[in-house]
Amino acid sequence: MDRRPLVTVSTAALALALGPRLVSAHVDYVTDGPGTALDALTFLLSVLSNPVNAAVVGLSGFATVAGLAVYLSVRPTIEDIVVLRDTLVGYADLVPWMLRLSVGLPLVGAGFQGYLFAPTVAFDAAANPALRVLFIGIGFSLLFGLATRLVTSVALLTFAWALTVDFGVTLAMEYVPAFLALLVLGGGRPSADHMLQRVASTEGTYYGHVDPIHHLKSFLDAATEPYRRYVPVVVRVGMGVTFVYLGLFQKLAEPGQALLVVEKYDLTAVVPVDPGLWVVGAGVTEILVGVALIAGFLTRGAAATSFVLFTTTLFGLPDDPVLAHVTLFGLASAVFTMGAGPLSFDRWFGRPADRDAESPVTAD
């Protein structure tokens, strides 16, 4: 029996599994032009009209749906995952610190290198020293956790202004959910805000007599307390929207530019299949991960998948700017730590109790 068709289909299936991880990047960051102008719908139909591609997509889709259906019907309780989930819940108080690092570091880099949030939107740092100082100042303040809510408000306004300068800043839209979460959570701990608050609120301290704003921080902490439970929703939905945008508009809607990535890094030499399959696989994978995050469906699994995508991208595309992905890494860390939160499939669906004394908990 001729095994070549079977080998070809198996190889293509491997490409669909690995391809998205290597092409899963902000395409604009690693290409120098828009590529050949291609109609998105025509391109998609041409890729799927290839029998091998159609077989790979169909079999992969069927296997994924069938696997999820079996998992959700059985809903197995695995002790390792229960322990992992319980451990992650104990890290919840570190989420503000994760988010501050994930936006503070790239903002400092943006100030020094001279770009507005997204590396593709550059400005002349020598001609705009105030703008450079603004980004560096915001970044370092967030890293230290100093006046976190005030600085985050300035950062949000700066992002809104940057959008009016160049709409390409949408490539860095992941900053928005991180900023919104920090507005609610504040600096958390460890942070300068927490440290100074403890000193200022202790009776008999000298600093308590000269600090005029620690009462304001206490007020804001109390005012935002009812909304803290929705922070997981803000972060996962914001991250999910980012993924959908990258998959839909950076891959499927602009296949010519995405094909440049495949050509530039000779990805067809890694797995010899149709370059179009790489592009379609990358776009569809990012969209599916994004939709899962938005819906809160197997949320921690989706966050873990995004880690794999980011990490493989950084190794697979060596000139992809690392700082441009730090915020997404931080969001993924926060989602993995917090889980789905309310308004999610995981919270609604739940899973069986692990033992008689345990109440049913979320399925993520």
Side-chain angles (χ1 to χ4, degrees):
M1 181 180 68
D2 187 356
R3 297 179 178 271
R4 284 177 295 178
L6 179 60
V7 172
T8 302
V9 171
S10 301
T11 304
L14 181 63
L16 192 62
L18 297 180
R21 300 179 183 180
L22 295 179
V23 189
S24 173
H26 294 71
V27 173
D28 284 356
Y29 294 168
V30 293
T31 56
D32 298 324
T36 304
L38 298 173
D39 179 75
L41 181 59
T42 302
F43 173 79
L44 180 62
L45 293 176
S46 68
V47 171
L48 296 180
S49 65
N50 182 306
V52 174
N53 293 348
V56 171
V57 172
L59 290 173
S60 300
F62 175 79
T64 300
V65 172
L68 287 174
V70 171
Y71 176 83
L72 293 176
S73 64
V74 176
R75 291 194 292 171
T77 297
I78 302 173
E79 186 68 22
D80 305 64
I81 296 178
V82 173
V83 173
L84 175 63
R85 184 185 295 110
D86 292 343
T87 302
L88 289 170
V89 169
Y91 297 154
D93 66 318
L94 300 177
V95 168
W97 176 67
M98 297 178 192
L99 295 175
R100 289 192 290 105
L101 290 179
S102 69
V103 293
L105 285 171
L107 286 176
V108 170
F112 277 111
Q113 296 180 22
Y115 60 83
L116 302 177
F117 297 98
T120 52
V121 185
F123 67 88
D124 187 344
N128 299 276
L131 191 56
R132 185 182 190 186
V133 170
L134 174 64
F135 271 82
I136 295 173
I138 291 174
F140 274 122
S141 295
L142 290 176
L143 286 175
F144 296 143
L146 181 63
T148 304
R149 289 191 177 95
L150 174 61
V151 173
T152 302
S153 299
V154 173
L156 267 174
L157 292 174
T158 304
F159 189 91
W161 167 79
L163 282 174
T164 66
V165 175
D166 191 324
F167 197 68
V169 173
T170 52
L171 282 174
M173 67 172 66
E174 62 268 17
Y175 279 97
V176 175
F179 289 153
L180 292 175
L182 286 174
L183 279 179
V184 175
L185 297 173
R189 51 185 294 270
S191 69
D193 287 341
H194 179 262
M195 178 181 66
L196 295 175
Q197 173 73 5
R198 291 294 299 271
V199 175
S201 60
T202 301
E203 186 176 355
T205 60
Y206 292 107
Y207 181 71
H209 295 292
V210 299
D211 178 14
I213 63 171
H214 70 274
H215 294 296
L216 174 61
K217 182 182 184 304
S218 298
F219 169 77
L220 291 175
D221 286 343
T224 56
E225 180 62 34
Y227 306 103
R228 288 174 176 255
R229 62 189 297 263
Y230 295 107
V231 167
V233 181
V234 171
V235 176
R236 68 172 167 78
V237 170
M239 186 177 174
V241 169
T242 301
F243 262 93
V244 171
Y245 174 82
L246 293 175
L248 183 59
F249 293 102
Q250 287 275 290
K251 309 294 191 306
L252 299 185
E254 295 289 345
Q257 190 171 16
L259 285 171
L260 287 179
V261 180
V262 179
E263 179 183 358
K264 178 179 179 179
Y265 298 100
D266 196 19
L267 298 180
T268 54
V270 179
V271 180
V273 295
D274 177 15
L277 186 62
W278 289 83
V279 175
V280 172
V284 170
T285 300
E286 288 186 341
I287 290 172
L288 290 178
V289 171
V291 170
L293 288 168
I294 292 171
F297 177 72
L298 300 179
T299 307
R300 285 194 172 97
T305 301
S306 68
F307 266 117
V308 175
L309 295 177
F310 301 149
T311 303
T312 314
T313 293
L314 293 178
F315 283 102
L317 310 181
D319 56 347
D320 199 22
V322 175
L323 282 178
H325 296 281
V326 169
T327 303
L328 283 172
F329 270 108
L331 291 181
S333 301
V335 172
F336 192 68
T337 299
M338 296 184 295
L343 307 176
S344 65
F345 176 89
D346 289 337
R347 179 63 60 88
W348 168 77
F349 190 75
R351 66 162 174 79
D354 180 42
R355 52 187 72 88
D356 292 339
E358 182 192 36
S359 301
V361 296
T362 56
D364 61 330

